[in-house]
Amino acid sequence: ALIAYAYRFRADLVSRIHRGYGKWLALLAGVGLAPFLTLNRSNSPQLLLTYGFSVLYLISGYLLICFLQLKRPRVAGLEKAGMLLAFVGRHSYGIYLWHLLVRYFTPIWSPFLFGYHAPAIFAVSFYFSASVVVGVCASLVVEAPLLKLRDRIVPSQCQAIAADHAL
């Protein structure tokens, strides 16, 4: 949240830091990320569960800022990919909620869908694809109508504040 706040409301400061120290911070982020590629909860639970999540948060936030600061040339077709990612991002909470159900059923369905000796990449691909499809469908069928009902019953105060400032 702090990184998002700084990027949104102190963009000049973030840009200055990135211009001045960007290469060093990117190198530090890469070095800081390297140990976590080999750690998991079974072989280093204390490190991962204490410092690990905070370090990963800071590193991933800084890497996101690095990508946002890049000057990207327009590439044909990239806008459509961005629109697809934005659509998935809008429904990411539904995907997050339903992926565990898909994860539970993936080992049960995989032998019937791909055979017993199919490569694991088929099951992993199915898991990711089904998680997105189930999450987006649940978001559209359950979450969106309930949010509309909530907004009808309890209107947002932001709309009233915006209307007051417009006068």
Side-chain angles (χ1 to χ4, degrees):
L2 182 60
I3 293 172
Y5 172 82
Y7 187 78
R8 174 71 174 99
F9 296 107
R10 299 294 310 270
D12 57 329
L13 175 66
V14 171
S15 184
R16 257 195 334 258
I17 290 171
H18 179 72
R19 275 195 312 268
Y21 303 103
K23 291 178 184 174
W24 291 107
L25 289 172
L27 177 67
L28 184 63
V31 169
L33 187 61
F36 296 103
L37 297 176
T38 60
L39 295 178
N40 60 37
R41 285 181 274 156
S42 61
N43 65 7
S44 264
Q46 292 81 17
L47 178 65
L48 185 64
L49 296 175
T50 53
Y51 301 108
F53 291 135
S54 298
V55 170
L56 285 174
Y57 163 75
L58 292 172
I59 290 171
S60 61
Y62 180 70
L63 290 176
L64 180 63
I65 287 175
C66 285
F67 286 117
L68 289 172
Q69 295 288 325
L70 290 175
K71 302 294 183 220
R72 298 175 302 280
R74 286 212 174 281
V75 177
L78 198 57
E79 285 87 17
K80 290 188 192 255
M83 290 169 53
L84 177 66
L85 287 175
F87 177 78
V88 170
R90 268 194 303 278
H91 302 288
S92 63
Y93 187 66
I95 295 167
Y96 164 72
L97 288 177
W98 289 94
H99 85 280
L100 288 175
L101 182 70
V102 174
R103 182 175 162 211
Y104 175 79
F105 283 107
T106 296
I108 297 169
W109 293 336
S110 288
F112 299 110
L113 293 172
F114 309 115
Y116 285 97
H117 301 292
I121 190 70
F122 291 141
V124 171
S125 299
F126 172 77
Y127 166 62
F128 281 119
S129 303
S131 294
V132 170
V133 169
V134 170
V136 167
C137 289
S139 179
L140 292 172
V141 171
V142 177
E143 184 181 8
L146 287 176
L147 288 175
K148 285 180 184 177
L149 178 66
R150 180 204 63 188
D151 290 341
R152 197 175 329 135
I153 294 171
V154 183
S156 174
Q157 294 296 320
C158 294
Q159 293 171 351
I161 292 170
D164 288 343
H165 287 294
L167 298 174

